[in-house]
Coordinates of all heavy atoms in Angstrom, one line a residue:
F165 N 34.4 -86.4 56.1 CA 33.3 -86.4 57.0 C 32.5 -87.7 56.9 O 31.3 -87.7 57.1 CB 32.4 -85.2 56.7 CG 33.1 -83.9 57.0 CD1 33.4 -83.1 56.0 CD2 33.5 -83.6 58.3 CE1 34.0 -81.8 56.2 CE2 34.2 -82.4 58.5 CZ 34.4 -81.6 57.5
N199 N 28.3 -78.3 58.7 CA 27.7 -77.1 59.2 C 26.2 -77.4 59.5 O 25.5 -78.1 58.8 CB 27.7 -75.9 58.1 CG 29.2 -75.8 57.5 OD1 29.8 -76.8 57.3 ND2 29.5 -74.6 57.4
A211 N 22.2 -75.6 43.7 CA 23.3 -76.0 44.6 C 24.6 -76.3 43.7 O 24.4 -77.0 42.7 CB 23.0 -77.2 45.4
V212 N 25.7 -75.6 44.1 CA 26.9 -75.9 43.3 C 28.0 -76.2 44.3 O 27.9 -75.9 45.5 CB 27.3 -74.6 42.5 CG1 26.2 -74.2 41.5 CG2 27.6 -73.4 43.5
W213 N 29.0 -76.9 43.8 CA 30.2 -77.1 44.7 C 31.5 -76.7 44.1 O 31.6 -76.6 43.0 CB 30.1 -78.6 45.3 CG 30.4 -79.7 44.2 CD1 29.7 -80.4 43.5 CD2 31.8 -80.2 43.9 NE1 30.2 -81.3 42.7 CE2 31.7 -81.2 42.9 CE3 33.1 -79.9 44.2 CZ2 32.6 -81.8 42.3 CZ3 34.2 -80.6 43.7 CH2 33.9 -81.6 42.8
S214 N 32.4 -76.5 45.0 CA 33.8 -76.1 44.6 C 34.8 -76.5 45.5 O 34.6 -76.8 46.6 CB 33.7 -74.5 44.3 OG 33.5 -73.9 45.6
L215 N 36.0 -76.5 45.0 CA 37.2 -76.7 45.8 C 38.1 -75.4 45.9 O 38.2 -74.9 44.8 CB 38.1 -77.9 45.3 CG 37.4 -79.2 45.3 CD1 38.4 -80.1 44.5 CD2 37.5 -79.8 46.8
N216 N 38.6 -75.1 47.0 CA 39.6 -73.9 47.0 C 40.9 -74.5 47.3 O 41.3 -74.8 48.5 CB 39.1 -73.0 48.2 CG 40.0 -71.8 48.0 OD1 41.0 -71.7 47.4 ND2 39.6 -70.7 48.8
K219 N 43.6 -73.0 50.1 CA 43.4 -73.2 51.6 C 44.3 -74.3 52.1 O 44.6 -75.2 51.3 CB 42.0 -73.5 51.9 CG 41.0 -72.3 51.7 CD 39.7 -72.7 52.3 CE 38.8 -71.4 52.3 NZ 37.5 -71.7 52.9
T221 N 43.7 -76.9 53.9 CA 43.0 -78.2 53.8 C 42.1 -78.1 52.6 O 41.2 -77.2 52.6 CB 42.3 -78.7 55.0 OG1 41.3 -77.7 55.3 CG2 43.3 -78.9 56.2
I222 N 42.2 -79.0 51.6 CA 41.2 -78.9 50.5 C 40.0 -79.6 50.8 O 39.9 -80.8 50.8 CB 42.0 -79.5 49.2 CG1 43.2 -78.7 48.9 CG2 40.9 -79.4 48.0 CD1 44.0 -79.2 47.7
T223 N 38.9 -78.8 51.2 CA 37.6 -79.3 51.6 C 36.6 -78.9 50.5 O 36.5 -77.7 50.4 CB 37.3 -78.9 53.0 OG1 38.3 -79.3 53.9 CG2 36.0 -79.6 53.3
P224 N 35.9 -79.8 49.9 CA 34.9 -79.4 49.0 C 33.7 -78.7 49.8 O 33.4 -79.1 50.9 CB 34.4 -80.7 48.3 CG 35.1 -81.9 48.9 CD 36.0 -81.3 50.0
T225 N 33.2 -77.7 49.2 CA 32.1 -76.9 49.8 C 30.9 -76.9 48.8 O 31.1 -76.5 47.7 CB 32.5 -75.4 50.0 OG1 33.8 -75.4 50.8 CG2 31.5 -74.7 50.8
L226 N 29.7 -77.3 49.3 CA 28.5 -77.3 48.6 C 27.8 -75.9 49.0 O 27.5 -75.8 50.2 CB 27.7 -78.4 49.1 CG 26.4 -78.6 48.3 CD1 26.6 -78.9 46.8 CD2 25.5 -79.7 48.9
K227 N 27.6 -75.2 48.0 CA 26.9 -73.8 48.2 C 25.3 -73.9 47.8 O 25.1 -74.4 46.7 CB 27.6 -72.7 47.4 CG 29.1 -72.5 47.9 CD 29.7 -71.5 47.0 CE 31.0 -71.3 47.7 NZ 32.2 -71.4 47.6
I228 N 24.6 -73.6 48.7 CA 23.1 -73.5 48.4 C 22.8 -72.0 48.0 O 23.1 -71.0 48.8 CB 22.3 -73.8 49.7 CG1 22.8 -75.1 50.4 CG2 20.8 -73.9 49.4 CD1 22.6 -76.3 49.6
V234 N 24.6 -66.7 48.1 CA 24.8 -67.9 48.8 C 24.1 -67.9 50.1 O 24.4 -67.1 51.0 CB 26.4 -68.1 49.0 CG1 26.6 -69.4 49.8 CG2 27.1 -68.2 47.7
A236 N 23.7 -70.8 52.1 CA 24.4 -71.7 53.1 C 25.4 -72.3 52.4 O 25.5 -72.4 51.2 CB 23.4 -72.5 53.7
E237 N 26.4 -72.8 53.3 CA 27.5 -73.6 52.7 C 27.6 -74.8 53.6 O 27.6 -74.8 54.8 CB 28.9 -72.9 52.7 CG 28.9 -71.8 51.7 CD 30.3 -71.0 51.7 OE1 31.2 -71.5 52.5 OE2 30.4 -70.1 51.1
L238 N 27.9 -76.0 52.9 CA 28.1 -77.2 53.6 C 29.5 -77.8 53.2 O 29.8 -78.0 52.0 CB 27.1 -78.3 53.3 CG 25.6 -78.0 53.6 CD1 24.7 -79.0 52.9 CD2 25.4 -78.0 55.0
A239 N 30.3 -78.2 54.2 CA 31.6 -78.9 54.0 C 31.3 -80.4 53.9 O 30.8 -81.0 54.8 CB 32.6 -78.6 55.1
V240 N 31.5 -81.0 52.7 CA 31.0 -82.4 52.5 C 32.2 -83.1 51.9 O 32.9 -82.5 51.0 CB 29.8 -82.4 51.6 CG1 29.3 -83.9 51.4 CG2 28.7 -81.6 52.1
G241 N 32.3 -84.4 52.2 CA 33.3 -85.2 51.6 C 33.2 -85.3 50.1 O 32.1 -85.3 49.5
I242 N 34.4 -85.4 49.3 CA 34.4 -85.4 47.9 C 33.7 -86.7 47.4 O 33.1 -86.6 46.2 CB 35.8 -85.3 47.3 CG1 35.8 -85.0 45.9 CG2 36.7 -86.5 47.7 CD1 35.4 -83.6 45.4
I245 N 29.7 -85.7 47.5 CA 29.2 -84.3 47.3 C 28.3 -84.3 46.1 O 27.3 -83.5 46.1 CB 30.4 -83.3 47.2 CG1 29.7 -81.9 47.4 CG2 31.2 -83.6 45.9 CD1 30.9 -80.9 47.7
Q249 N 24.3 -83.1 46.1 CA 24.0 -82.0 45.2 C 22.8 -82.5 44.4 O 21.8 -81.8 44.3 CB 25.1 -81.6 44.3 CG 24.8 -80.5 43.3 CD 25.8 -80.2 42.4 OE1 26.7 -81.1 42.0 NE2 25.8 -79.0 41.8

Side-chain angles (χ1 to χ4, degrees):
F165 297 112
N199 309 44
V212 300
W213 69 268
S214 63
L215 292 169
N216 186 348
K219 289 188 175 182
T221 59
I222 299 175
T223 305
T225 304
L226 183 67
K227 295 177 173 108
I228 312 293
V234 176
E237 293 184 357
L238 297 171
V240 181
I242 192 72
I245 198 162
Q249 180 185 27

